Amino acid sequence: MIAKVIVDVANSKTDRSYDYLIPDEWTSFIEKGMRVIVPFNNRNVQGFVVDLEEHSTVPNLKKIKKFVDMSPVLTGELLDLGFWLSEAALCFKITALQAMLPVALKARYKKQLERVQADMLPKEVNDLFQKNDLIDWDEVIKLPAGLLKQIQKLIKAGAMKMVTEIKDRTTSKTIKVVKPAMGKNDLLKEIETLTPRAKKQKEILEWFLVHFAEIPSNELLMKLHATRSTLKALINKQILVENDRKIYRDPYEAASFKQTEPLALTDIQQKAIQPILSSVENSEQEIFLLHGVTGSGKTEIYLQSIQSVLEKGKEAIMLVPEISLTPQIVQRFKERFGSDVAVLHSGLSAGEKYDEWLKIHRKEVKVVVGARSAIFAPFENIGMIIIDEEHESSYKQEENPRYHARDVAEWRSKYHQCPLILGSATPSLESYARSQKNVYHLSELTERIHSQSMPEVMIVDMREELREGNRSIFSRILIEKIKEKLDRKEQCVLFLNRRGYSTFIMCRDCGYVAECPHCDISLTYHKNKNTLKCHYCGFEEMAPNRCPDCGSQHIRFFGTGTQKVEEELTKLMPEARIIRMDVDTTSRKGAHEKLLSAFANKQGDILLGTQMIAKGLDFPDVTLVGVIAADTMLNLPDFRAAERTFQLLTQVSGRAGRHKLQGEVIVQSYNPEHYSIQLASGHNYTSFYLTEMKARKAHAYPPYYYLTLITVSHPELMKVIAVAEKITSRLKKELSNKAIVLGPAASVIPRIKDRYRYQCMIKYKNEPNLFHALKSILNQYENELGNSGLQIVIDSNPYMLM
Ligand code: ADP
Ligand code: ZN
Ligand code: ZN
């Protein structure tokens, strides 16, 4: 038998499968989706078996050396998905395949084969175990082929499993567990042969006869008031067996969840869920765009849709943006589906992520709630995929493979013939446009549950404040309102948009701005350490007291950080209890949750924070939301700037008055007449959509055109320009005259980490030739890529244009 193997060597020449002979004894043991070690160019490398064939046309085949897995780590579907992904994202096949596995699987960890149910094992397999239920991997790979095949079957049947020891000092936990080393009949015989004096031993064995299950040793001893030496005797006689059991590092274990029942849906919810349920019923692949204002009951629709999927015996994937993967949303899923839920997000350690992945792989859970990469969950019978807040840019991965989770979800929903639900209060223009063309089925939830009105939004013109002599960060009305709420013991959320805005140092005499010596970008001032820091390369230096250019002492920092807002606020109202949430206060693990629950328990009056407080939070007593500077993003050189501003303002104002109390929102702005700010305050998505679509059409941007951005970088400016020019002219030649090829031009940030950056943008509607052209450009520069320091990044459907 021949295995087709994709080796772990990432370059264009090896970007295909190679044929290897499967040693005779391993035929029918090696399966598609397993990893193996093969000889390649005089060394041993790891690779994925992607197919099996009887014959090969290649002479003198080499043999597979070792296997890495006892059972496939990638399903047939995920292998296909990987091939599609490598084309769609223009990356190597091996890169796409690796991206679908948890990191813990990629590293070398100690692996062992564990016996789970001794009574299901034939004698020759049971005989392999000596002291406990584990065999080291080094021993496993030496086993004769006949045994390997048996073991493989036993793993599938759940009688044995592979375990990986991942050292996670912080979270891993092992306990001793004990269980019978034999079947029930033998156990009964052992009980009969015990001497009458061994009363406690008998009691223990009788317990096992009834329960016949594994139990933590300590728990058993406590239950039966037995001593450790009694148990030890039974273990020594090999009637019972004791193991170290690594217990799942469940990050939400501590919280206990009350089970919740589905709520009776409102008429509007009913209307929205009906087509989804019928699509589940008929196993139809359909894409739904669920457009519902915040608090309109989308999450309840997700929960009940998933419920219907579980009732059909299928599985569901629910994606949420990293930033809104808060304990609140996880809790709602755990309360409804209990231990059927796995949670995947970047706050977990490698070991925790691996544990959650294993639960999915072993079919111990039915639902996964997770951030972007959870779209690769190795379920095999998917009945639904949901992407909440589908407009969020965090669904786009900004490193290889540069994929958008929405596209992967669409692929998988086609494969499984199941519905895909995209939910948002502010759908991306791309998705809403598709719903207008009936490519997506649009469902709208136009009202909040219990018909609370949307909060009243007031826009304050900060230029006017300045003209009237108010130089503070806060408008007079905002301060007045905060005081009013505090008097009434209600809570406020103050939001500071940091994206595209930061504190920088400027000389008032000569206009000097402190910039990073390695990147063409201004340095950010950090007050607590009095340093200047570059957010692109990490460069850090002490803040100067004098201008390095003219020597003036009038050098000071500008801009508004959360710290500064907090200081000013404390000056104005020393009695207010402020909880500040930003990168500085939330860097420690668990800090995020702590601060939020302190606010929920009313240990704070004002929650002050950045992006991380904009979403998903639901506090009943918040009646005022203040947006300190609404327009900082509008000045970014990004065609989505208006869309992002609209989305963010809508999200933030959704935090106010979600329950019985009416909410108010105050938006401070220097561009109060901008349509994104005006229409967000009026909660008018449709008008925003129409206005923004006109702008996109006029400037040939998505959704009217697709975009591909090519960024060339190199330490030498001349080299960058030369390569960028060659690429641009080649593309102009090879693409149709309907494609618009722009550039080359210096990137918005022309230098990062001492590398100059030039870019070229392609706008197109239909270019069947594009993929081929881009691939051959990459191949042309292949040899220069790593060696000479040249870098070419191709990003289709880019979200970062800088
Ligand atoms: P969204 O996800 O659109 O922001 P949620 O699903 O979180 O909305 O619903 C907002 C609030 O209304 C939640 O507290 C939720 O428990 C409640 N809710 C949702 N649907 C119903 C219903 N049918 N009956 C009663 N309360 C509901
Ligand atoms: Zn100066
Ligand atoms: Zn830098």
Side-chain angles (χ1 to χ4, degrees), residues 515-521 523 533-539 751-754:
E515 285 190 354
C516 175
H518 309 287
C519 314
D520 289 337
I521 192 109
L523 293 165
K533 207 168 168 180
C534 172
H535 282 194
Y536 285 87
C537 72
F539 171 84
R751 193 172 52 126
I752 293 182
K753 296 187 196 173
D754 291 320

Coordinates of all heavy atoms in Angstrom, one line a residue, residues 515-521 523 533-539 751-754, ligand 3:
E515 N 9.1 59.7 17.3 CA 8.8 58.6 16.4 C 9.7 57.4 16.7 O 10.8 57.6 17.2 CB 9.0 59.0 15.0 CG 7.8 59.8 14.5 CD 7.8 60.0 13.0 OE1 8.8 59.5 12.3 OE2 6.9 60.6 12.5
C516 N 9.2 56.2 16.4 CA 10.1 55.0 16.5 C 11.2 55.1 15.5 O 11.0 55.3 14.4 CB 9.2 53.8 16.3 SG 10.2 52.3 16.4
P517 N 12.4 54.8 16.0 CA 13.6 54.8 15.1 C 13.5 53.6 14.0 O 14.2 53.7 13.0 CB 14.8 54.7 16.0 CG 14.3 54.1 17.3 CD 12.9 54.6 17.4
H518 N 12.7 52.6 14.3 CA 12.6 51.5 13.4 C 11.4 51.4 12.5 O 11.3 50.7 11.6 CB 12.7 50.2 14.2 CG 13.8 50.1 15.2 ND1 15.1 50.0 14.7 CD2 13.9 50.3 16.5 CE1 15.9 50.0 15.8 NE2 15.2 50.2 16.9
C519 N 10.4 52.2 13.0 CA 9.1 52.2 12.2 C 8.7 53.6 12.0 O 8.9 54.4 12.9 CB 8.0 51.5 13.0 SG 8.5 49.9 13.8
D520 N 8.1 53.9 10.9 CA 7.6 55.3 10.7 C 6.3 55.5 11.4 O 5.3 55.6 10.7 CB 7.6 55.6 9.2 CG 9.0 55.7 8.6 OD1 9.9 55.9 9.4 OD2 9.2 55.5 7.4
I521 N 6.3 55.6 12.7 CA 5.0 55.8 13.4 C 5.4 56.4 14.7 O 6.5 56.2 15.3 CB 4.3 54.4 13.6 CG1 2.9 54.6 14.1 CG2 5.1 53.5 14.5 CD1 1.9 54.2 13.0
L523 N 5.6 57.3 18.6 CA 5.6 56.5 19.8 C 4.5 56.8 20.8 O 4.0 57.9 20.9 CB 7.0 56.7 20.5 CG 8.2 56.2 19.8 CD1 9.5 56.7 20.4 CD2 8.2 54.6 19.8
K533 N 6.7 54.1 23.8 CA 6.8 52.7 23.3 C 6.2 52.6 21.9 O 5.3 53.4 21.6 CB 5.9 51.9 24.3 CG 6.4 50.4 24.3 CD 5.7 49.7 25.4 CE 5.9 48.2 25.3 NZ 5.3 47.4 26.3
C534 N 6.8 51.7 21.1 CA 6.3 51.5 19.8 C 5.4 50.3 19.8 O 5.8 49.2 20.2 CB 7.5 51.3 18.8 SG 6.9 50.8 17.2
H535 N 4.2 50.4 19.3 CA 3.2 49.3 19.4 C 3.4 48.3 18.2 O 2.8 47.3 18.2 CB 1.8 49.9 19.4 CG 1.4 50.3 20.8 ND1 0.2 50.6 21.1 CD2 2.2 50.6 21.8 CE1 0.1 51.0 22.4 NE2 1.4 51.0 22.8
Y536 N 4.3 48.7 17.3 CA 4.6 47.7 16.2 C 5.8 46.9 16.4 O 5.8 45.7 16.0 CB 4.7 48.5 14.9 CG 3.4 49.0 14.4 CD1 2.9 50.2 14.8 CD2 2.6 48.2 13.5 CE1 1.6 50.6 14.4 CE2 1.4 48.6 13.1 CZ 0.9 49.8 13.5 OH -0.4 50.2 13.1
C537 N 6.8 47.4 17.1 CA 8.0 46.6 17.2 C 8.5 46.4 18.7 O 9.4 45.7 19.0 CB 9.2 47.2 16.4 SG 9.9 48.7 17.1
G538 N 7.8 47.1 19.6 CA 8.1 46.9 21.0 C 9.2 47.8 21.5 O 9.6 47.8 22.7
F539 N 9.8 48.7 20.6 CA 10.9 49.6 21.0 C 10.4 50.5 22.2 O 9.3 50.9 22.2 CB 11.3 50.5 19.8 CG 12.2 51.6 20.2 CD1 13.6 51.4 20.2 CD2 11.7 52.9 20.4 CE1 14.4 52.4 20.6 CE2 12.5 53.9 20.8 CZ 13.9 53.7 20.8
R751 N 7.4 52.1 7.1 CA 8.5 51.3 7.6 C 8.1 50.7 8.9 O 7.6 51.4 9.8 CB 9.7 52.2 7.8 CG 11.0 51.4 8.0 CD 12.2 52.3 7.9 NE 12.0 53.5 8.9 CZ 12.8 53.8 9.9 NH1 14.0 53.2 10.0 NH2 12.6 54.8 10.6
I752 N 8.3 49.4 9.0 CA 8.1 48.7 10.3 C 9.3 47.8 10.6 O 9.7 47.1 9.7 CB 6.8 47.9 10.3 CG1 5.5 48.8 10.2 CG2 6.6 47.0 11.5 CD1 4.2 48.1 10.2
K753 N 9.8 47.9 11.8 CA 10.9 47.1 12.2 C 12.1 47.2 11.2 O 12.6 46.2 10.7 CB 10.5 45.6 12.4 CG 9.6 45.4 13.5 CD 9.3 43.9 13.7 CE 8.1 43.7 14.6 NZ 7.7 42.4 14.8
D754 N 12.4 48.4 10.8 CA 13.5 48.6 9.8 C 13.3 48.0 8.4 O 14.2 47.9 7.7 CB 14.8 48.1 10.4 CG 15.3 49.0 11.6 OD1 15.1 50.2 11.5 OD2 15.8 48.4 12.6
Ligands
ZN3 ZN 8.9 50.4 16.1

